[in-house]
Amino acid sequence: MQSSPTVLRQIHLDFHTSGLIPGVGADFDPAGFAKTLADAHVNSVLCFARCHHGWVYYDSTQLADRKHPTLDRALLAEQIDACHALGIRVPIYTTVQWDDLTVQAHPEWRIVLADGRLEGTPPFEAGFYRKLCLNSPFRDFMKEHAAEILASLPVDGLYFDFIRPDHCVCGYCRRGMRERGWDPSDARRVEQFGVETVNDFELELSAFVRSIQPGCPVTYNGGHVGLRHRTVAEAYTQFELETLPSGGWGYMYFPVTGRYARTLGPDVVGTTGKFHTTWGDFHSTKNPAALEYEVFRMLAQGAGCSIGDQLHPKGVLDPETYRVVGDVYAQVEHKEPWCAQALPRVDIGVFNPEENLGGGVMNLPPGIQGAVRMLVEGGHQFDVIDSAADLARYRLLVLPDHIRLTPVVAAKLRRYLDDGGSVVASYESGLAVEGDDFALAEWGVQVESDGPRDSRGEPARGKVYDRHDYCQYLRPRTGLTDRLPTVEHPMYIRGLDVSASPDAEILADLVLPYFDRTWEHYISHLQAPSTGETAGPAVVRRGRVVYFCHPIHTQYETNAPRWVKTVFLAAVGLLLPDPVVRHGGPSTLEVSVTSQPQHRRDVVHLLHYIPERRGTEFDTVEDVLPLFDVDVSLRTTTETGSVRLEPQGVDLPFHQIGSRVDFAVPRIDGHQMVAVTPRER
């Protein structure tokens, strides 16, 4: 078994291969395969034992009839031996819930929906997307399969792919719910049972694997790491975050899920793809600048790197792909000394609305994306957290839009504030789970009304209307920010009607339009203009809490009004005047700070890549625009001895006053690291 590398430079080598393809593996050259990977600076390659079609690629006794029908060699064993000879790890991939051959052999193991239909791809549509139930005998099938892999091959780790919570009411699931005293016709219980089923499966299978091979690295993939993973983190050696920006996840997915996953304990690995679009895009190659950005962003967040590829059925790696991958991974290898065992330095904890709203694969709540986007554009250092997190790690908490509080969480936040913490909250964040009253007086506001209802009879607040039907206006007062004029600024999504406590300070006023836009009252194409009449507070401060009555994070994710970001970052600045880092670059510059205690240094990562929508389907990066003479200010607790561009090894002049060290970075070409080391004593 190969030991884990210091920084992972992995290839996730898909091999979902139809039984109709002739000559599978016919051109596979073990030595050439391994050399191509080694020349591309790859130190780990995920290779296939079994694919979504259901075929296996090793000599199996359990699944002797499942070996790919046109494969006449022990492909996986040859891949492992060749890679091990060059010091490359080979974790083994196997599928879980998508397995077409098992579905055909055991249709009684399939997921059944509440209306009686079988879940997944209909019979006459292309695809193997039919899920198997983890409460069926398929669970034992998977344990036997894992045991055989462990017994018959050298295993550097196991990667169990495609496992997600389901709303299954098959006979096995109905029986399991009844055994708990649950009603299988209750949709909420079905959902809860689906989550518990997946969690139980992962914990059981990991324990089973480790009983056979203690210390075996294990991970599972379902396309998303979120709130449920806190309770099953012990089942994982690492979270490998499937976040292909061009594959439906988008460029905000890794910044959100990576910052959350890294708080749970296991190591974090980012997974993107070499594909122009997504998995299985044969013979395409991603723009090199886009691949650089996606991989270097993983390093900046303290994560390992994995790039998805798909092996041609003949068994030959594409040379152009590995030229591009090699260019990127050569840079990663050169940067490794400043990335290994790096811990993020953070000021802020951002509550994840997924805890309140749900969310999953390619379905992050817009509020968390807007919050992360604004904080990244503002240069702040932060984690994404849930209510079980240790709040004492953070100087400031951000509760974006939809963080309602249970009594337990409210008490936890009160203790946090009593201990000197600060909070920025917006819209419904801070309301009690039950009812529409704020759970804490510390917010300094009270709900006045539920607001108007729209033509469907639903509350208009918090909803996006194409013509801004219920738009209001925000007018900042002097003292909130000098970056905005004290005039009306549209808030396109109606907020919560609140009043301020007598001991609270109003930082911005709510200003009314002439009327809401309806079939009876309208003007021009969009919302009515301002009357100039104030109607209560829009932004309130009470002590170390700043509250926005509007869903500002959802608003920013919807159409990015600059004034929304300006007032939000101003509020953050009021409560956090001395952040980890400040910079003088544009909002397109991403700055992350990690710490390497073993080297007694901080590393500032500066990334300047600009994703653009050059087609209708997704963003990409094609050009790298350099930046020059960017001022940076880092908070430090020691006297600084050196500030150095890395990996170039070029010393920079710096100036330290008190707890801040200031320096200028002469040029940033895509990704630049700066190591800040204390003076030797």
Side-chain angles (χ1 to χ4, degrees):
M1 182 166 137
Q2 300 289 300
S3 61
S4 296
T6 302
V7 173
L8 199 64
R9 288 173 266 117
Q10 180 165 275
I11 293 295
H12 179 122
L13 192 60
D14 263 16
F15 200 57
H16 302 293
T17 307
S18 167
L20 301 176
I21 299 290
V24 168
D27 296 338
F28 178 71
D29 170 22
F33 175 82
K35 184 177 186 301
T36 298
L37 294 168
D39 289 348
H41 304 269
V42 172
N43 58 19
S44 180
V45 58
L46 190 70
C47 291
F48 270 44
R50 174 168 138 266
C51 73
H52 290 334
H53 289 276
W55 301 118
V56 299
Y57 303 94
Y58 66 101
D59 290 335
S60 171
T61 300
Q62 177 207 15
L63 301 172
D65 61 336
R66 301 280 191 91
K67 187 171 181 180
H68 194 284
T70 70
L71 176 70
D72 61 3
R73 62 198 308 163
L75 180 62
L76 177 57
E78 291 186 69
Q79 290 172 325
I80 293 171
D81 289 345
C83 288
H84 281 184
L86 296 185
I88 299 171
R89 295 173 68 251
V90 189
I92 294 174
Y93 171 107
T94 191
T95 188
V96 182
Q97 288 187 276
W98 282 340
D99 176 342
D100 199 43
L101 291 178
T102 300
V103 163
Q104 293 175 32
H106 294 284
E108 73 278 11
W109 294 356
R110 287 182 64 181
I111 299 267
V112 177
L113 303 176
D115 61 5
R117 289 181 299 116
L118 293 173
E119 180 276 340
T121 309
F124 302 111
E125 288 185 14
F128 38 56
Y129 313 112
R130 305 173 183 96
K131 285 191 276 187
L132 292 152
C133 178
L134 301 176
N135 284 311
S136 73
F138 177 65
R139 182 180 292 226
D140 293 327
F141 170 97
M142 281 301 305
K143 291 170 76 172
E144 292 171 15
H145 178 51
E148 183 181 63
I149 292 172
L150 291 163
S152 58
L153 294 162
V155 177
D156 297 327
L158 289 173
Y159 183 106
F160 294 104
D161 192 26
F162 199 79
I163 172 169
R164 295 179 185 171
D166 292 294
H167 297 178
C168 182
V169 294
C170 73
Y172 303 105
C173 288
R174 293 199 306 272
R175 185 180 309 122
M177 283 183 270
R178 288 194 184 100
E179 287 172 356
R180 298 190 184 195
W182 293 358
D183 177 3
S185 69
D186 184 336
R188 291 174 299 178
R189 287 299 196 187
V190 172
E191 180 178 9
Q192 182 181 357
F193 189 70
V195 172
E196 293 186 8
T197 292
V198 169
N199 291 353
D200 177 68
F201 178 88
E202 291 180 354
L203 290 166
E204 180 181 333
L205 187 56
S206 290
F208 176 76
V209 167
R210 290 162 181 163
S211 72
I212 298 172
Q213 183 174 308
C216 179
V218 179
T219 193
Y220 301 85
N221 178 52
H224 177 64
V225 171
L227 275 295
R228 82 165 180 88
H229 289 85
R230 176 176 287 280
T231 58
V232 293
E234 66 186 81
Y236 291 72
T237 305
Q238 71 279 345
F239 292 118
E240 298 198 17
L241 306 181
E242 184 181 16
T243 54
L244 283 64
S246 55
W249 284 266
Y251 272 107
M252 286 309 299
Y253 213 88
F254 180 75
V256 173
T257 56
R259 282 178 166 87
Y260 177 71
R262 73 189 187 188
T263 70
L264 300 182
D267 292 338
V268 174
V269 178
T271 300
T272 185
K274 72 93 182 182
F275 317 102
H276 180 66
T277 57
T278 191
W279 297 105
D281 187 358
F282 280 111
H283 305 291
S284 74
T285 306
K286 177 166 286 181
N287 294 343
L291 191 62
E292 280 187 359
Y293 176 42
E294 292 155 25
V295 168
F296 296 160
R297 209 163 49 156
M298 298 170 195
L299 296 180
Q301 297 304 318
C305 312
S306 185
I307 298 173
D309 184 21
Q310 179 137 319
L311 182 63
H312 189 279
K314 295 292 187 183
V316 179
L317 295 170
D318 175 59
E320 175 60 15
T321 290
Y322 287 88
R323 183 192 66 77
V324 174
V325 168
D327 287 347
V328 175
Y329 272 172
Q331 295 179 70
V332 172
E333 187 173 22
H334 203 34
K335 297 170 190 282
E336 278 182 14
W338 297 273
C339 302
Q341 298 174 293
L343 304 173
R345 282 192 61 189
V346 297
D347 286 316
I348 300 170
V350 183
F351 272 62
N352 193 342
E354 186 180 330
E355 192 166 3
N356 300 78
L357 302 178
V361 182
M362 306 178 196
N363 186 32
L364 295 177
I368 189 61
Q369 296 184 78
V372 167
R373 195 183 297 275
M374 286 193 282
L375 289 170
V376 168
E377 292 174 4
H380 287 287
Q381 307 303 297
F382 61 97
D383 287 333
V384 175
I385 63 174
D386 57 33
S387 62
D390 177 10
L391 304 185
R393 297 184 56 211
Y394 306 103
R395 301 167 68 200
L396 173 69
L397 300 177
V398 173
L399 279 61
D401 297 352
H402 294 286
I403 310 298
R404 286 180 174 256
L405 307 181
T406 65
V408 171
V409 177
K412 187 174 181 178
L413 283 169
R414 177 172 282 127
R415 290 192 298 271
Y416 169 79
L417 289 167
D418 289 344
D419 291 339
S422 300
V423 171
V424 175
S426 57
Y427 188 49
E428 292 183 345
S429 293
L431 293 178
V433 168
E434 301 294 336
D436 274 330
D437 294 317
F438 284 94
L440 294 171
E442 285 84 348
W443 258 232
V445 290
Q446 301 82 37
V447 176
E448 288 298 306
S449 77
D450 197 37
R453 292 182 176 269
D454 62 19
S455 59
R456 294 168 295 182
E458 298 177 355
R461 63 180 175 90
K463 292 185 174 64
V464 176
Y465 295 88
D466 290 341
R467 295 189 179 275
H468 315 156
D469 295 357
Y470 295 90
C471 178
Q472 298 171 308
Y473 296 91
L474 177 147
R475 185 167 59 211
R477 294 190 180 185
T478 303
L480 174 60
T481 176
D482 58 3
R483 297 182 182 179
L484 278 182
T486 54
V487 297
E488 289 88 338
H489 301 276
M491 305 300 285
Y492 300 116
I493 306 176
R494 187 182 180 94
L496 189 62
D497 290 343
V498 299
S499 60
S501 303
D503 58 348
E505 176 188 3
I506 297 176
L507 300 179
D509 293 299
L510 185 67
V511 182
L512 294 177
Y514 281 94
F515 41 71
D516 298 323
R517 185 180 180 90
T518 71
W519 70 273
E520 294 179 295
H521 309 91
Y522 63 90
I523 179 175
S524 190
H525 300 292
L526 298 175
Q527 78 270 11
S530 163
T531 63
E533 176 186 349
T534 60
V539 186
V540 174
R541 178 178 184 177
R542 185 179 185 272
R544 289 189 302 278
V545 178
V546 173
Y547 170 77
F548 289 79
C549 79
H550 292 95
I552 55 172
H553 305 283
T554 301
Q555 182 67 79
Y556 196 72
E557 183 61 17
T558 302
N559 50 23
R562 185 178 181 185
W563 54 89
V564 168
K565 177 175 67 174
T566 301
V567 294
F568 168 65
L569 293 178
V572 170
L574 289 175
L575 300 174
L576 188 68
D578 190 28
V580 167
V581 67
R582 301 191 192 103
H583 69 81
S587 62
T588 49
L589 177 64
E590 296 183 29
V591 180
S592 296
V593 182
T594 59
S595 174
Q596 291 181 300
Q598 71 276 26
H599 297 295
R600 296 183 63 243
R601 69 186 175 207
D602 290 332
V603 180
V604 181
H605 294 260
L606 302 111
L607 293 100
H608 194 245
Y609 297 86
I610 305 175
E612 298 177 275
R613 183 59 56 99
R614 293 199 174 190
T616 59
E617 293 185 0
F618 53 83
D619 296 337
T620 188
V621 180
E622 184 166 330
D623 302 308
V624 179
L625 305 179
L627 296 177
F628 300 91
D629 299 321
V630 176
D631 292 328
V632 178
S633 177
L634 181 71
R635 192 178 75 234
T636 181
T637 58
T638 61
E639 183 181 0
T640 300
S642 69
V643 175
R644 184 171 296 167
L645 295 176
E646 299 293 2
Q648 300 95 322
V650 175
D651 286 317
L652 296 179
F654 64 90
H655 181 62
Q656 184 166 358
I657 300 179
S659 63
R660 302 206 72 88
V661 57
D662 299 334
F663 53 92
V665 180
R667 182 179 177 117
I668 300 168
D669 280 301
H671 177 218
Q672 178 63 60
M673 299 182 297
V674 182
V676 179
T677 305
R679 183 180 298 278
E680 295 292 337
R681 295 178 181 176

